[in-house]
Amino acid sequence: MSTWDRDALGVLLASFNGTEVPDHLEEPLRAGLGGIILFAFNTPDAATCAQLSRDLHRIEPEVLVAADEEGGDVTRLQAGVGSSLPTAWALGEVDDPDLTRAAGRALGDLLAACDIDLDLAPVLDVSTDPKNPVIGTRAFGADPDLVARHARAMAGGIRDAGVGVCGKHFPGHGATHVDSHTALPTIELAREQFEYEHLEPWHLAPWMDAVMTAHVQVPALGEGPASISPWAREVLDEICGEGGFRGLLITDALDMAGVSGPIGYGEAVVRSVEAGAHLLCLGTSIRRDDEQMLREAHDALVAAADSGRIPRDVLARRAAEVRQRRGWIRERRHGIGSPDLTGALIALERVGSEAAARAVRERRSAGALTGGPVVIADARRRRDHASGSRRSVLAEVLRERGVQAQEAGYPADLARPGTDALVITRLPRSDREEQARLAELLRLRPDAILVHVGVPDAAHRHDRYVLAHGAGRASMVAAAELLLGRACSMGRPSSTGGSGR
C-alpha cells in the first residue's frame, strides 16, 4: 500500500539532486506528484536536460516538468556555458517587440526540444529600484508599459512553440532592495502608486498558463506575504475580471528565508494552499535532502487535511485542477511537436546574438582593446541567489577571440604593467562590499574600463564603460565585440557617465 496521499502530492512541485531520476522519486511520481522543477544542477546542458525530462515522462507521462528558463543571467538549460539569449532588460533596451517574440519562440523551441512543459517565465516585475539585488536585469525595464509590451511578446513566442508560460512574481518584486531568498521584503507604496507602477503588466494574467506569487509584503494590498496570504489571489482575480484567474497559481520557492524563515517550512506549505495556490514550489534541494523536503511538505498537508484545517474537498479539488490544466498544457505542446535540439540551439544563438549586439551601450570603450594582454577583475559578490555562482564569462569569450585575458586573483593583479584593465560591476552604488572592492580596483587602475552587467541606473559614474545589461554569454560576447572594435554600439552613448539613460 502506498504511503503517499494523491491529493497532497498533486499540489507539490518537487525538486531533486543530480542529473538522473532518483529511485525514491519513482513511487511519488506514479502516485500523483503534481510536477517537477529542474534547476541548474540537474541540467548542465540542453542534452542532459532533454534526457532527464524524457526519463521523468517515461515514469509518469502526465507529470508537469517545469524550469526557470528566463534567458540571460537565469538559465537552466545552458547552465554550463551561459545563455544564448541576453537578459529581459537588454530586450527592453532594444524595444523591438518583434525581436522579443522571436527570442521567445527560439527559447520555446529549445524548451520543447528538451521536453519541458512549463517555463517559469516571463518576468513581469517592473524594476523601479536600481538597488534591487534579485530582479534587476531579469525585468524588461522600469516602465510598466514597456514591461507589459515585452512580456506579452516573450510569452507569445514561447507559447507559439507549445510550451506553457508562467508570469512572475505577483504582485511585483521590483520595488524593493531586499532579496526574498534571505529576508521578507516589504513594499511601502500607496495602493494607487503600486497599482500604476507594478500591477499594470498583470493584466496579461488571463493569457498566462500560470502565475507565480512572490514572497513580498505590500501592506496597501493586504496583510502578510503574497505567496501565503489570500489577498494575493483576490487581487489577481479582480485584475482578471469575471471568473477570476483560471490558470495555475504557483508559489515561489517555499524554502526561501523570506517566507519559511519566520514560520517554518511545513507551515508555509499549509498556508500556501489556504491562500489559494495550486502548485507549491518546494525549492532547491542543493543544500537539503530532496526526499525529506518532499515528505515534509506532503505530511504537513495530510495533517492539515486530517485535522480539518484544510477541508479535504479543497485539497482534492486543487489537485484535480492541477491535473486538468497540466493536461491542457501537455496536449497543446504535443499538438505542435518538438524541434531538433541542435537546430533549436543554433536558432537561439542567432536571435540572441542580434539582440545582445543591439542592446549594448558604451562610453569611450569601443575598440579600446588592441589585442594585447587584458586583466579582468570582478567587483561583484561571488554568488547570486537567483542565478547561482558567478563565472567570469567575459574572460572566456575574449580568449576565444585570441586575446590573452586573465582573471585577477588579487586586486594587485590589475596593476600589472603593459595590460588593459576591465572591471565587472553590478550594484556598485548600493552594495557596500562591491563599493569597497571597486574603489580599491580603481585606485590601482583609474584607466580601467567598467563592464557593468546590472541595470544602467545602478552603474558607477566613470569615464569609460560598457553597459552590457547582463552577465550571460550573449551579453559578454556583445561587450567583447564592442571592446575589440568589431561591432558598434547601436545605441547612444550616455552623457551622464553612469546611467546610460
Side-chain angles (χ1 to χ4, degrees):
M1 181 178 177
S2 175
T3 61
W4 296 99
D5 183 286
R6 177 174 168 82
D7 296 332
L9 275 179
V11 299
L12 300 181
L13 187 64
S15 65
F16 59 88
N17 296 319
T19 58
E20 297 180 353
V21 183
D23 292 341
H24 70 77
L25 196 59
E26 293 193 21
E27 184 182 355
L29 279 167
R30 294 191 174 101
L33 183 63
I36 292 289
I37 178 170
L38 300 179
F39 289 98
F41 50 80
N42 302 122
T43 59
D45 55 69
T48 301
C49 179
Q51 184 60 57
L52 182 56
S53 298
R54 285 194 292 267
D55 289 343
L56 288 164
H57 285 129
R58 190 177 298 118
I59 295 168
E60 176 46 62
E62 296 307 311
V63 70
L64 186 79
V65 179
D68 280 298
E69 186 59 43
E70 300 172 14
D73 295 350
V74 179
T75 179
R76 306 300 185 230
L77 279 59
Q78 296 183 289
V81 295
S83 177
S84 297
L85 279 186
T87 60
W89 192 284
L91 292 168
E93 187 78 21
V94 177
D95 197 12
D96 179 350
D98 290 338
L99 177 64
T100 299
R101 187 164 191 134
R105 177 58 194 257
L107 184 60
D109 281 341
L110 177 60
L111 289 158
C114 290
D115 205 16
I116 298 293
D117 303 309
L118 179 68
D119 190 12
L120 302 180
V123 170
L124 272 70
D125 300 307
V126 182
S127 192
T128 56
D129 189 340
K131 299 187 294 294
N132 195 312
V134 68
I135 301 301
T137 57
R138 296 169 65 194
F140 288 103
D143 176 78
D145 292 334
L146 177 75
V147 170
R149 186 161 62 246
H150 287 277
R152 179 190 288 272
M154 177 62 73
I158 295 171
R159 287 193 57 160
D160 286 345
V163 176
V165 294
C166 175
K168 61 187 185 187
H169 308 81
F170 185 81
H173 206 313
T176 173
H177 53 269
V178 174
D179 184 348
S180 54
H181 289 87
T182 59
L184 179 62
T186 298
I187 301 176
E188 299 284 3
L189 294 178
R191 184 181 183 106
E192 183 177 357
Q193 183 180 357
F194 189 90
E195 288 179 348
Y196 172 74
E197 292 183 353
H198 299 281
L199 287 186
E200 279 299 312
W202 292 101
H203 286 89
L204 297 175
W207 289 272
M208 298 282 171
D209 298 291
V211 161
M212 176 179 283
T213 49
H215 305 319
V216 296
Q217 294 186 120
V218 188
L221 299 182
E223 183 179 352
S227 51
I228 59 172
S229 304
W231 66 261
R233 180 59 190 257
E234 294 166 3
V235 172
L236 183 61
D237 284 343
E238 183 179 341
I239 290 172
C240 292
E242 186 176 355
F245 177 61
R246 298 176 183 272
L248 293 171
L249 193 65
I250 304 177
T251 69
D252 205 345
L254 293 174
D255 65 332
M256 291 163 61
V259 65
S260 62
I263 61 174
Y265 185 65
E267 180 66 13
V269 165
V270 173
R271 290 193 193 182
S272 298
V273 174
E274 290 178 323
H278 291 97
L279 274 173
L280 317 183
C281 178
L282 302 185
T284 174
S285 58
I286 194 168
R287 289 178 297 277
R288 299 184 61 187
D289 183 281
D290 49 351
E291 185 176 7
Q292 182 182 354
M293 285 178 69
L294 178 58
R295 176 59 74 176
E296 185 177 347
H298 168 274
D299 290 354
L301 290 177
V302 171
D306 288 346
S307 70
R309 178 177 173 183
I310 297 177
R312 171 57 71 168
D313 64 322
V314 169
L315 190 60
R317 184 171 65 252
R318 210 71 57 77
E321 290 170 345
V322 170
R323 291 192 293 271
Q324 179 189 58
R325 290 164 188 171
R326 75 184 183 186
W328 293 343
I329 292 170
R330 287 185 54 72
E331 182 179 353
R332 184 178 71 222
R333 228 202 76 206
H334 290 300
I336 294 176
S338 300
D340 169 73
L341 179 57
T342 300
L345 285 166
I346 292 171
L348 187 69
E349 184 170 6
R350 185 182 303 118
V351 69
S353 295
E354 178 189 348
R358 290 174 63 181
V360 68
R361 307 285 186 258
E362 61 86 30
R363 180 179 183 184
R364 296 183 60 201
S365 58
L369 301 186
T370 59
V374 176
V375 180
I376 302 173
D378 198 330
R380 301 171 296 169
R381 290 180 183 267
R382 296 312 301 170
R383 182 171 179 83
D384 178 272
H385 288 290
S387 55
S389 297
R390 297 199 179 283
R391 298 166 50 239
S392 182
V393 180
L394 181 58
E396 298 172 10
V397 167
L398 285 170
R399 285 193 287 265
E400 290 168 5
R401 283 151 180 76
V403 177
Q404 185 184 338
Q406 181 178 346
E407 297 177 64
Y410 300 93
D413 292 342
L414 203 65
R416 191 173 302 131
T419 62
D420 290 317
L422 303 177
V423 177
I424 301 172
T425 65
R426 179 173 177 253
L427 290 167
R429 294 191 186 181
S430 58
D431 186 312
R432 291 184 179 180
E433 290 183 28
E434 185 170 336
Q435 285 177 4
R437 280 194 293 269
L438 180 58
E440 172 64 8
L441 292 168
L442 288 180
R443 184 187 67 79
L444 292 166
R445 287 295 296 265
D447 64 326
I449 297 172
L450 301 187
V451 180
H452 184 68
V453 299
V455 301
D457 284 346
H460 178 76
R461 296 188 181 276
H462 188 62
D463 194 45
R464 307 171 77 198
Y465 62 78
V466 174
L467 299 179
H469 311 299
R473 182 171 179 82
S475 298
M476 292 298 93
V477 168
E481 293 290 298
L482 188 148
L483 286 163
L484 291 167
R486 300 174 185 175
C488 296
S489 172
M490 296 187 179
R492 296 175 302 174
S494 167
S495 60
T496 64
S499 71
R501 286 190 178 266

